[in-house]
Amino acid sequence: MLKKFVYGQPIPTEAVIEDISLSQEAVPYLTVQTDKEGKMTFSSTLNDEDIVYGLGEAPRGINKRGHIYESFNSDDPYHTEEKRSLYGSHNFIVVSGKTSYGIFVDCGAQVTFDIGYTVYDRLAITPSVKDFVLYIIEGDNAYDIIRQFRRVIGQSYIAPFWAFGFQQCRWSYYTADEVREVVRQYREHQIPIDAVYLDIDYMEAYKDFTVSEERFPHFKAFVEEMKAQHIHLVPIIDAGVKIEDGYDVYEEGKAKGYFCKRKDGTDFVAGVWPGRTHFPDFLNPEVRRWFGHQYQTLLEAGIEGFWNDMNEPAMFYTDEGIAEAVDYLKNFDFSCNDSNKFFELGGRVGGLANRRKDYAAMYHTINGESVCHEQVHNLYGYNMTRAAAEAFQALVPDKRILLFSRSSYIGMHRYGGLWTGDNQSWWSHLLLNIKMMPSLNMCGFLYCGADLGGFGANSTRDLVLRWLAFGLFTPLMRNHSALGTRHQECYAFGDTEAFRGLVSLRYRLIPYLYREYIKACEQNEMLFKPLAFAYPQDKIACHIEDQLLLSDDLMIAPVYEQNAIGRTVYLPEEMRFVLFKGAEVVRSERLPKGHHFITVGLDEVPVFIRPGRQIPLCEPSESVDQLDTDTVTYLSFD
Ligand code: MIG
């Protein structure tokens, strides 16, 4: 049962695609307060036993209680506990307790969720603007509420089969030869792989939809050469379009007025990788059509997958910001002997990226009207990805194209997947990855994953192995690392056997994972669920966050601490414990309900099969193309 309440005159987000009539009654469960400026807060008292699920891509745990979150898509590579925003805004939560209800705040502007931060038993939700839609979802339990919500937001994007293969990324593989070398290493060491990514340096001067002829000569032939080895190349596309005379995308976008504007109607300018850029106005359907069709150049070269980046949109600086900083420096009193001034100076010069002031100075044209970016900030990456997906539908209707985005909003889940952005090679981020998966699934994002091994900072062999041992269950299984960090490809640490084993296990699981993934997309299910959804009566299970249910058949319990020889696992019922060493089963026994310590080596993966369940396994292969999905053996509880 969904109840819809409209406040002010909201800009349609198209997150919800089912027609829902306006509710005539008062908002249930929540107390509504309006402050002097007309800002509204919806609040309720949380009971001790209530768990609050949701918020998709957000810091902290599965249970969101005890902190404050701000939906405001942010390019921030330090996903530490005190952060309130990451790259996506997914304003859906479920309060689950004696009574359960779901809340979706459909609003492109910032929304604050204070979930027992200011007052420990108080939930308070405050949209930053007066125009938004509020949905209250009632149901039997949390999962029922989630499935109803998923139904009204529409079916999740379905990725191609090959996109379940292992994928390798790095910022950057600079030349075709570097890419060839990556593939050679994987093939030589017989570590399965299906895709290699092209980060920003494949482009000519970071210009979208161009390919550097110097570094990637005869691109089309190169794409074909890779395909002959069962490798898909996946290029990045950034949101900003380089300002450069003679560059067709820039020229055309400018001539047609397709870029975001300043208040005075001139094209808004921000510095990103290409230098000074314009941002396409993705909120305008005509601009979406135009930008989406630019992908055709790469489709024609044989490309079948893309990742959309920098679409919060990230801004390194603006002309206005630099002018202010320069002005400040000119007027700086060098004779002053005040440390506070010194810190202020650092802030003025170092704080030029992603300023709220700059977002507020950017304008969109929606239905002929000028709308400040602050009102629709969280919809930008969503609509960039929608632009691409809608163009693929028109250009290659019979083909599934891999597509995922960094920034997102609910609604984008119909058009693409997401990756969780710039994490770090920290053990805590492996745990964050585990905890985030069910929250993302709740909000419709099923094709997702984190940068395995960690993006920023230097990784270590054991961290990459443990992360792969979890990542082999996630739809997007991609190892990615940043410029200047230690290489972390599966062959980068000397020995390769453990890596080969883990990636091979992924390939053995692909028929099962893809089947369950499609089912979850089509039936509005979650692929990863908290234990609480299957064992609501079990108090211990309800508060476990480092074990997950995978579909209805398996429980997984990844190891996420350095130097651990294993971990404690809680079984809410009798299950079959199967231990894989690489791709092979080395242990299989039934374990009774309760706590168990299990030993798990760096090359091992434990899974727990639930009563009455079984999963198919095929033989490993070097690529998804070569998988024999018809010949399977079953692992079953019995
Ligand atoms: O400012 O393209 O999250 O995956 O490697 C950094 C370079 C821009 C951020 C992405 C990351 C990518 C990187 N990009």
Side-chain angles (χ1 to χ4, degrees):
M1 180 62 179
L2 250 95
K3 293 182 177 154
K4 179 180 181 181
F5 305 89
V6 175
Y7 299 89
Q9 290 175 310
I11 294 157
T13 67
E14 291 171 79
V16 172
I17 52 171
E18 203 162 281
D19 250 338
I20 295 160
S21 47
L22 284 185
S23 182
Q24 301 304 327
E25 48 186 291
V27 178
Y29 310 108
L30 303 173
T31 305
V32 189
Q33 281 164 300
T34 308
D35 74 6
K36 278 183 262 118
E37 283 118 51
K39 243 205 220 175
M40 303 183 81
T41 293
F42 300 86
S43 64
S44 76
T45 301
L46 295 170
N47 297 314
D48 279 352
E49 66 275 17
D50 287 347
I51 295 178
V52 180
Y53 297 104
L55 297 184
E57 190 176 357
R60 296 185 171 243
I62 292 177
N63 185 349
K64 292 301 194 220
R65 283 189 74 161
H67 218 258
I68 182 167
Y69 307 86
E70 281 162 8
S71 289
F72 191 81
N73 295 349
S74 305
D75 168 25
D76 177 346
Y78 297 103
H79 312 165
T80 46
E81 280 181 38
E82 82 280 14
K83 291 298 162 64
R84 298 178 176 191
S85 315
L86 296 175
Y87 308 87
S89 288
H90 309 139
N91 301 335
F92 173 51
I93 62 169
V94 174
V95 178
S96 171
K98 272 201 201 90
T99 44
S100 299
Y101 55 96
I103 306 171
F104 174 47
V105 186
D106 193 12
C107 175
Q110 183 179 320
V111 180
T112 303
F113 291 83
D114 183 338
I115 311 180
Y117 170 77
T118 305
V119 181
Y120 87 101
D121 62 350
R122 183 169 183 258
L123 165 71
I125 302 171
T126 313
S128 63
V129 293
K130 296 173 203 164
D131 310 290
F132 57 90
V133 184
L134 175 75
Y135 295 89
I136 302 290
I137 306 127
E138 301 180 296
D140 297 339
N141 52 50
Y143 198 41
D144 177 42
I145 290 164
I146 290 163
R147 294 188 56 197
Q148 289 189 57
F149 177 66
R150 289 275 304 282
R151 198 161 60 231
V152 300
I153 59 173
Q155 186 183 300
S156 301
Y157 157 80
I158 297 181
F161 191 45
W162 64 263
F164 270 62
F166 174 73
Q167 317 188 28
Q168 181 64 54
C169 190
R170 169 93 180 162
W171 176 19
S172 286
Y173 298 123
Y174 288 94
T175 61
D177 279 344
E178 256 188 70
V179 173
R180 286 187 182 100
E181 176 59 14
V182 172
V183 175
R184 194 189 63 78
Q185 291 272 8
Y186 272 94
R187 291 288 178 245
E188 184 179 303
H189 294 290
Q190 294 179 310
I191 303 166
I193 184 167
D194 270 84
V196 178
Y197 280 68
L198 302 180
D199 207 321
I200 46 176
D201 299 285
Y202 79 89
M203 291 183 259
E204 182 64 53
Y206 305 128
K207 282 181 281 187
D208 279 339
F209 313 111
T210 68
V211 177
S212 161
E213 274 179 28
E214 193 192 318
R215 293 188 301 279
F216 290 87
H218 314 293
F219 189 62
K220 195 172 174 172
F222 179 54
V223 174
E224 226 164 84
E225 174 193 327
M226 287 294 115
K227 263 198 206 154
Q229 298 181 58
H230 308 283
I231 298 294
H232 285 84
L233 295 177
V234 185
I236 196 170
I237 304 292
D238 280 3
V241 171
K242 184 175 175 64
I243 298 175
E244 187 186 275
D245 289 336
Y247 169 38
D248 54 351
V249 183
Y250 160 72
E251 297 270 6
E252 199 181 329
K254 188 180 165 71
K256 296 200 164 142
Y258 284 166
F259 297 124
C260 291
K261 306 269 182 284
R262 296 191 179 100
K263 187 147 201 160
D264 65 8
T266 57
D267 289 337
F268 182 88
V269 178
V272 206
W273 289 110
R276 300 169 87 245
T277 66
H278 290 320
F279 293 123
D281 190 353
F282 296 120
L283 279 293
N284 175 340
E286 190 182 326
V287 177
R288 280 205 295 276
R289 215 166 307 125
W290 166 73
F291 193 85
H293 277 75
Q294 305 299 320
Y295 286 75
Q296 188 166 17
T297 325
L298 290 161
L299 292 174
E300 276 167 4
I303 295 296
E304 295 172 322
F306 299 89
W307 49 314
N308 285 344
D309 190 21
M310 306 300 274
N311 50 5
E312 292 68 33
M315 299 181 189
F316 294 160
Y317 58 86
T318 57
D319 292 354
E320 292 80 357
I322 289 183
E324 278 171 36
V326 168
D327 220 39
Y328 177 84
L329 287 177
K330 272 193 202 142
N331 296 315
F332 192 76
D333 175 8
F334 288 91
S335 66
C336 89
N337 185 21
D338 179 351
S339 296
N340 290 315
K341 290 276 173 217
F342 161 78
F343 287 113
E344 190 184 299
L345 176 111
R348 291 293 184 111
V349 180
L352 293 180
N354 307 321
R355 297 190 316 166
R356 286 303 277 266
K357 204 173 168 179
D358 290 323
Y359 286 130
M362 182 162 121
Y363 287 81
H364 299 265
T365 311
I366 301 176
N367 296 328
E369 277 184 42
S370 174
V371 174
C372 177
H373 177 74
E374 278 275 335
Q375 306 282 322
V376 290
H377 174 74
N378 294 336
L379 309 178
Y380 191 76
Y382 159 22
N383 281 289
M384 175 185 183
T385 300
R386 180 176 178 178
E390 286 175 340
F392 300 157
Q393 186 58 40
L395 296 167
V396 281
D398 300 327
K399 215 175 200 175
R400 285 196 203 286
I401 301 290
L402 170 62
L403 177 64
F404 59 91
S405 174
R406 190 169 74 175
S407 185
S408 61
Y409 182 82
I410 291 174
M412 197 197 84
H413 71 286
R414 300 191 299 272
Y415 301 101
L418 64 78
W419 95 101
T420 59
D422 300 345
N423 60 8
Q424 304 286 327
S425 296
W426 297 341
W427 291 85
S428 58
H429 279 183
L430 164 53
L431 181 57
L432 181 63
N433 183 192
I434 297 166
K435 294 182 180 191
M436 206 188 278
M437 292 311 284
S439 310
L440 288 167
N441 282 191
M442 274 179 69
C443 298
F445 295 97
L446 292 177
Y447 190 82
C448 25
D451 289 348
L452 304 179
F455 175 75
N458 293 324
S459 203
T460 55
R461 174 179 177 268
D462 53 350
L463 179 57
V464 178
L465 286 170
R466 291 297 196 200
W467 216 323
L468 289 172
F470 171 64
L472 66 86
F473 296 108
T474 63
L476 170 61
M477 184 190 186
R478 184 181 78 149
N479 176 329
H480 181 34
S481 57
L483 187 76
T485 61
R486 181 183 187 184
H487 270 269
Q488 61 188 45
E489 292 84 358
C490 292
Y491 50 79
F493 299 95
D495 62 314
T496 52
E497 197 182 329
F499 293 89
R500 178 164 51 253
L502 294 178
V503 181
S504 298
L505 175 56
R506 159 68 166 213
Y507 280 67
R508 296 200 69 189
L509 286 164
I510 284 177
Y512 171 70
L513 291 174
Y514 197 64
R515 181 187 84 194
E516 293 304 309
Y517 160 75
I518 298 269
K519 197 172 93 191
C521 291
E522 289 180 346
Q523 300 178 11
N524 304 313
E525 305 267 358
M526 293 163 70
L527 193 58
F528 293 98
K529 282 191 284 256
L531 269 50
F533 289 9
Y535 307 98
Q537 309 305 339
D538 184 332
K539 258 241 156 78
I540 301 173
C542 283
H543 291 90
I544 287 179
E545 301 212 346
D546 61 354
Q547 302 173 204
L548 300 175
L549 293 175
L550 177 60
S551 190
D552 292 321
D553 310 301
L554 297 180
M555 183 178 79
I556 57 173
V559 176
Y560 52 85
E561 281 176 337
Q562 189 159 33
N563 302 317
I565 57 162
R567 58 165 287 171
T568 301
V569 179
Y570 176 71
L571 272 56
E573 62 183 332
E574 188 189 10
M575 290 182 184
R576 178 171 293 276
F577 163 46
V578 176
L579 186 69
F580 287 94
K581 189 176 179 67
E584 302 306 325
V585 175
V586 290
R587 224 178 124 178
S588 172
E589 64 187 282
R590 283 202 201 167
L591 292 180
K593 173 184 162 115
H595 284 98
H596 301 271
F597 185 86
I598 55 162
T599 305
V600 185
L602 283 174
D603 55 351
E604 293 178 333
V605 180
V607 300
F608 300 85
I609 303 175
R610 296 176 66 193
R613 307 284 176 172
Q614 57 173 20
I615 62 160
L617 287 175
C618 65
E619 286 307 305
S621 68
E622 288 201 339
S623 74
V624 168
D625 290 346
Q626 294 157 287
L627 273 182
D628 174 4
T629 55
D630 295 329
T631 315
V632 294
T633 53
Y634 286 91
L635 269 186
S636 71
F637 171 80
D638 300 314

